[in-house]
Amino acid sequence: MSEEVKARRAPRKGVPSDEKSRARTSKATLPQMALDLFAEVAADLTCGVDEVGRGPLAGPVVTAAVILDPARPIKGLADSKKLTAQRREALYEEIVERSLAYCIAEASVGEIDSLNILHATMLAMQRAVNGLSRMPTLALIDGNRCPVLPMRSEAVIKGDDKVPAISAASILAKVTRDRQLIALHEEFPQYGFDEHVGYGTPRHLEALRRHGPSPHHRQSFAPVREAFEMFGALTVSRVIRSS
């Protein structure tokens, strides 16, 4: 065996004791460093963000952002579409009461028509996140794309069924928008908003053909645009409620 190989295999001699001590200390502190990093990540504030109302022919698109409180868990959080209206209402109250922070925002019909539904949805999500009373360090967005936000964000496909904070946001947005469309039904009962909350059901499409669009219909959506072309202008004026 060559002297060079022997030298490489030979144990190191004469290493100062303080250097050995530093090496042992470095190895010993690695687990603690990992724990510290985990604690730092766990302390991050994560918000869930979701929208309701991209597909309907009428009404705003509503979004919500929620930061849940780990110390006050909420049982039964799930995709709002999979819950009954009664269960959504009950969870809505729990989320409002127990979350660390929440904000509900929207983009109007006018913004949907001028920006398109995708960009209007991104705008409403920005408003929801920026409106939180506590600024999150991470935003988890339901779907496959994220709005431009001042913090790190990640898109989660089917997040409303996977991430509790997104489920909570889905519930807040769904309940809020359903309430709005039920209120619209009182002003415009001919469209049946209380039944389909603005979606293009056969009843809704027939009402558009018969009565024309209301001020709350999205002119950029094909069935509404066709109704506008048929009637030439808004045929149903807004009902002014007395205070």
Side-chain angles (χ1 to χ4, degrees):
M1 182 179 295
S2 68
E3 291 301 320
E4 181 182 355
V5 172
K6 287 181 181 179
R8 286 203 302 266
R9 290 187 175 181
R12 296 175 63 190
K13 295 181 180 180
V15 177
S17 59
D18 58 339
E19 183 177 336
K20 293 180 181 179
S21 177
R22 284 196 299 271
R24 287 195 298 268
T25 302
S26 176
K27 292 180 180 179
T29 56
L30 282 175
Q32 183 60 47
M33 290 169 62
L35 287 174
D36 292 343
L37 178 61
F38 176 80
E40 181 180 344
V41 171
D44 284 351
L45 284 179
T46 299
C47 74
V49 184
D50 200 6
E51 55 75 27
V52 172
R54 285 184 64 172
L57 306 179
V61 59
V62 178
T63 62
V66 178
I67 302 175
L68 293 175
D69 185 352
R72 306 183 71 190
I74 301 171
K75 294 182 179 179
L77 292 175
D79 177 4
S80 62
K81 297 184 293 295
K82 297 183 178 180
L83 301 170
T84 64
Q86 182 178 8
R87 184 61 182 143
R88 285 195 298 266
E89 288 283 350
L91 284 169
Y92 179 100
E93 299 302 329
E94 286 192 61
I95 295 164
V96 168
E97 179 186 353
R98 298 187 184 187
S99 62
L100 290 175
Y102 74 92
C103 181
I104 303 168
E106 64 181 56
S108 68
V109 169
E111 288 171 324
I112 293 170
D113 286 337
S114 62
L115 298 174
N116 77 39
I117 184 60
L118 173 61
H119 288 93
T121 300
M122 295 296 106
L123 174 62
M125 285 183 171
Q126 290 173 334
R127 288 169 174 166
V129 174
N130 292 333
L132 290 167
S133 59
R134 302 178 66 169
M135 187 59 66
T137 53
L138 171 65
L140 299 178
I141 315 295
D142 182 58
N144 60 4
R145 64 180 68 202
C146 299
V148 176
L149 296 170
M151 74 288 297
R152 184 164 65 93
S153 62
E154 295 178 12
V156 184
I157 295 176
K158 297 188 183 298
D160 50 5
D161 214 20
K162 298 175 182 177
V163 181
I166 298 180
S167 300
S170 171
I171 291 166
L172 291 191
K174 172 68 173 168
V175 170
T176 298
R177 191 176 188 283
D178 284 357
R179 290 175 179 175
Q180 291 178 345
L181 271 292
I182 289 172
L184 278 184
H185 175 72
E186 297 178 10
E187 298 183 44
F188 306 99
Q190 61 270 49
Y191 297 106
F193 288 137
D194 62 332
E195 175 188 307
H196 50 66
V197 293
Y199 284 90
T201 63
R203 177 186 174 184
H204 192 183
L205 295 176
E206 175 60 28
L208 275 174
R209 288 189 290 267
R210 180 176 298 181
H211 304 289
S214 77
H216 302 282
H217 280 92
R218 302 172 181 178
Q219 299 181 44
S220 54
F221 282 46
V224 180
R225 185 168 60 248
E226 292 168 3
F228 269 104
E229 291 171 354
M230 184 184 302
F231 284 84
L234 287 174
T235 57
V236 182
S237 59
R238 176 187 290 272
V239 175
I240 305 299
R241 292 182 175 182
S242 58
S243 57

